[in-house]
Amino acid sequence: MIKFIVTTTINSPTIATHKFIEIAKRDGWKFVVVGDTKTPHEEYEKLDCVYLDPDKQAEMYPELSEAIGWKTIQRRNIGFVYAYEHGAEVVATVDDDNIPYDNWGTDLYIGKEVEVDYWRSSYHVFDPLSVTNYPQLWHRGYPIDYLKRKNNSEYLGKKKVIPLIQADLWDGDPDIDAMCRLTFKPICKFNTTAPFASENISPFNSQNTFIARAALRYYAVWPYVGRMDDIWGGYYTQRMIGADRLIYNRASVYQDRNVQDLVTNLEKEIIGYRNTLDFTETPYKSSDVSAPYIPEQTQKFLEIYFKHFN
């Protein structure tokens, strides 16, 4: 299996970066780091990884590069296209503040039949944190309109599925929205051991997620929509492949979150608070993702991006 790890960063190589390089060597992954204008390029050029500096990106993917813009985490889309063009069968999208455990990637279920705990939400969107040992929290991008009854899910027993997306959880500072983080300020240790899934669509992120080639052609981290970038990209992908092709798995990283301004994060999540419920109710069936709240720049990017997967 041809496997890629993709990330983007403006930081010097972190503990997580070095750990991913070790794991890539050990387990046969190809590690791609997508640079930005502020990235210390020489430091990454010395590492045992594929480093795509800004000049290489602009040369290889000029139209896509321009559509994304600079000084943005959405540069990682360049890495997805690069991995796809180089035959990736699985792409792991990761962040450089998520320190992988030694067993990261060893229980990879993509493309294999696996038995999961299967859930049905009382709403059409399932919150994956609702069935963990932290049900008071909620995943970033879960519609806040549904928080009151988000934990009212029905257990449907065991089901065998063949996942195209596997979202591993994250110990430490979890991926919850700014309101949740400001309220609880949690440091987590998830006790989830068995993979689980839902018949309903659900949010997943781009910080510790494995994506099969067949799903990657629909997945992107959307620019110009604030902190809904990977969330709306994930919801859209599930519309294309089916909700039960996504599974969640035990934590395989410890997130030592980079310093962030939580109020700024909240401001970047307003677009989701206002529109995510409507977004999840829209039955997108093609690359046409037009909606009043989706910027024209985002729609232009998606039109360009999806052409690379034809």
Side-chain angles (χ1 to χ4, degrees):
M1 182 179 290
I2 303 173
K3 304 178 295 185
F4 277 75
I5 302 170
V6 171
T7 194
T8 187
T9 183
I10 60 172
N11 304 312
S12 291
T14 64
I15 294 172
T17 301
H18 289 293
K19 286 281 292 183
F20 278 120
I21 288 174
E22 292 174 9
I23 290 171
K25 289 180 182 178
R26 183 192 71 193
D27 297 336
W29 294 81
K30 299 179 182 181
F31 186 36
V32 178
V33 178
V34 183
D36 207 328
T37 55
K38 292 184 177 181
T39 309
H41 310 302
E42 292 183 358
E43 295 182 36
Y44 285 91
E45 289 166 353
K46 296 176 182 178
L47 298 181
D48 191 3
C49 68
V50 175
Y51 179 61
L52 301 179
D53 65 35
D55 289 340
K56 288 180 183 176
Q57 296 173 51
E59 179 183 353
M60 297 170 68
Y61 310 106
E63 190 178 17
L64 180 60
S65 179
E66 183 177 353
I68 296 170
W70 297 100
K71 299 181 176 66
T72 174
I73 197 171
Q74 289 87 38
R75 298 302 304 181
R76 79 174 63 210
N77 291 306
I78 296 284
F80 297 156
V81 171
Y82 178 91
Y84 188 88
E85 291 181 349
H86 286 77
E89 296 170 84
V90 175
V91 170
T93 172
V94 303
D95 282 352
D96 69 351
D97 59 358
N98 281 240
I99 303 170
Y101 294 144
D102 288 340
N103 61 357
W104 181 91
T106 58
D107 54 351
L108 183 60
Y109 300 113
I110 295 294
K112 305 174 185 176
E113 185 175 77
V114 58
E115 188 173 69
V116 300
D117 290 323
Y118 202 58
W119 296 87
R120 173 186 295 144
S121 174
S122 58
Y123 295 114
H124 73 281
V125 184
F126 171 71
D127 172 31
L129 301 191
S130 68
V131 297
T132 70
N133 52 319
Y134 295 96
Q136 75 276 21
L137 307 179
W138 59 92
H139 197 293
R140 177 171 55 89
Y142 183 80
I144 60 172
D145 318 69
Y146 288 167
L147 290 181
K148 186 175 182 180
R149 292 177 52 203
K150 78 177 185 67
N151 294 340
N152 295 353
S153 294
E154 178 185 0
Y155 179 60
L156 301 179
K158 298 287 187 178
K159 180 179 179 178
K160 291 183 178 180
V161 300
I162 301 177
L164 295 179
I165 300 173
Q166 176 179 323
D168 281 9
L169 296 176
W170 357 257
D171 290 334
D173 197 344
D175 193 22
I176 54 181
D177 73 19
M179 289 197 303
C180 191
R181 179 164 288 106
L182 285 163
T183 302
F184 295 104
K185 297 181 174 63
I187 296 297
C188 295
K189 179 67 177 177
F190 286 95
N191 63 8
T192 303
T193 54
F196 62 96
S198 174
E199 68 177 21
N200 310 100
I201 61 173
S202 50
F204 68 89
N205 61 37
S206 61
Q207 71 185 58
N208 190 33
T209 298
F210 305 86
I211 304 174
R213 183 178 182 85
L216 188 65
R217 61 186 316 226
Y218 302 113
Y219 182 73
V221 180
W222 293 15
Y224 311 110
V225 293
R227 284 173 57 80
M228 293 302 100
D229 51 357
D230 51 351
I231 300 299
W232 286 0
Y235 282 136
Y236 173 81
T237 303
Q238 289 170 79
R239 290 294 192 193
M240 300 297 110
I241 67 173
D244 64 354
R245 307 306 295 273
L246 161 67
I247 68 169
Y248 297 88
N249 194 36
R250 61 191 174 89
S252 58
V253 297
Y254 185 92
Q255 179 164 208
D256 185 13
R257 185 177 293 271
N258 292 326
V259 176
Q260 297 180 13
D261 184 322
L262 295 184
V263 176
T264 298
N265 283 356
L266 190 149
E267 291 170 344
K268 293 180 178 179
E269 291 169 14
I270 294 292
I271 188 174
Y273 298 149
R274 292 186 184 278
N275 300 300
T276 291
L277 180 59
D278 181 69
F279 188 93
T280 61
E281 291 176 338
T282 302
Y284 298 112
K285 294 181 180 179
S286 70
S287 59
D288 178 13
V289 293
S290 58
Y293 50 84
I294 298 177
E296 290 186 11
Q297 289 172 293
T298 305
Q299 297 178 47
K300 178 182 178 182
F301 157 78
L302 291 171
E303 180 181 347
I304 295 168
Y305 179 80
F306 286 135
K307 289 178 182 177
H308 288 274
F309 299 90
N310 290 336

